[in-house]
Amino acid sequence: MHTVDEVLEKDRLSRDDMLSMLSLSSGGDIQKLYDAAYRIKRQYVGSKVYFRGLIEFSNICDKNCLYCGIRKDNTGQQRYMMSRDEILDAALWAYDNGYGSIVLQSGERTDPKYIGFVTDVISSISKNTGAKLGITLSLGEQDLRTYERWREAGAHRYLLRIETSNPDLYAKLHPADHSFMRRVQCLRDLKDLGYQLGTGVMIGLPFQTQENLVDDIFFFERMEIDMIGMGPYVIHDDTPLAQAAAECDKQHNFELSLKMIALARIMLRDVNIAATTALQALHPQGREQGLLAGANVIMPIITHKKYRELYQLYNDKPCVNEEAGQCKGCLESRIGSINEVIAYNEWGDPPHYFRRTTGRAMQHP
Ligand code: SF4
């Protein structure tokens, strides 16, 4: 049996090592795990924090994931779709305020009208910023041609969360017509098209084991994922999963999420990892703690205030009553409080992407 120090000195952790790290219970040992991850973060990606301004431009969704507040069958949910000009205004606000990149996110739709609309929005943003604003998409499962169109229009990163890498657990979280293999194929298509590839999982789900979480990290490694966005599972009351999750322990899920961020950093090293907003739904300093456990990206919401409260995938989402400018000031002081700096006007691409596509590591300045 190895001590925590011995495990953290290894070049590569085994499955048993990872399980033992997820099971740590002493505050001192858990801190050692976070500190080891933080050292690796500084070595491989530095201590700058990269912003991705998040524009949640529509909560209309054709799917029915059992955990999600904007699922199609949640008929009590008021729906919205921002106009092209509203989205462009938000993107230009991000650009003018030095955010290196934005994320365009919505519920999943695959109809031609929506696909054409998104293509037009991406082209407009690219044209109006001289292609200097990084564009990440988080728009679910699409066919190869659609991903290709959006890439040609100017997007270069794509986030598609697998939510869990275990097909049996995936089946418990989704209706029968939602396919795990289809989602994996979408990730492969995105990689083949040259996107920087992002995925992630929920942590602390009903029916989920620590073995599942360790497998998630191996999945990220096997799929050569460049960007990871994972966070605690947070219940949304108006969803079918809420009942199964009634016993959900928020503090446990929060701590488990930080341990997963730390393990992902230790195992994958030069990827980007987001300190997700869901962390802050469970702890007032959730995102700062995520950065200290190995994350290096934050996605401040820049969706106009009038739409924010309509885009609630889970309960207690933070920042729903703020405007983008207030979030910027708040995050500056939060990030300053842990002695990290925000990398304004930089894309902050993950070195992992360059290593896997060119075979060369990019030197971190
Ligand atoms: S998780 Fe995404 S695809 Fe599933 S219901 Fe929610 S918005 Fe739609």
Side-chain angles (χ1 to χ4, degrees), residues 50 52 100-101 157 196 272 296-297 343 346-351 354:
Y50 298 99
R52 317 290 189 227
S101 306
R157 303 187 186 116
Q196 293 177 22
N272 278 352
N296 67 326
V297 167
E346 291 184 44
W347 277 20
D349 288 326
F354 299 100

Side-chain angles (χ1 to χ4, degrees), residues 228-247:
I228 296 170
M230 57 186 175
Y233 164 62
V234 185
I235 296 174
H236 189 294
D237 288 331
D238 302 326
T239 59
L241 201 65
Q243 212 166 3
E247 302 302 315

Side-chain angles (χ1 to χ4, degrees), residues 48-52 98-101 132 134 157 342-349 364-365:
K48 287 183 186 169
V49 181
Y50 298 99
F51 275 4
R52 317 290 189 227
Y99 288 18
S101 306
K132 290 200 187 104
R157 303 187 186 116
I342 300 163
Y344 284 118
N345 298 303
E346 291 184 44
W347 277 20
D349 288 326
H364 184 79

Side-chain angles (χ1 to χ4, degrees), residues 61-65 67-72 106-108 163 174 178 183 311 313:
C61 186
D62 291 340
K63 294 187 89 177
N64 256 321
C65 307
Y67 46 82
C68 178
I70 63 169
R71 62 198 300 272
K72 186 179 180 186
S106 78
E108 188 175 305
E163 306 299 2
H174 297 91
H178 292 31
R183 189 157 285 221
Y311 200 93
L313 309 187

Side-chain angles (χ1 to χ4, degrees), residues 82-89 117 120-121 124 127-128:
M82 285 168 62
S83 70
R84 175 180 170 281
D85 287 351
E86 285 176 320
I87 302 171
L88 188 58
D89 278 353
F117 174 82
D120 182 39
V121 164
S124 307
K127 200 163 90 196
N128 280 279

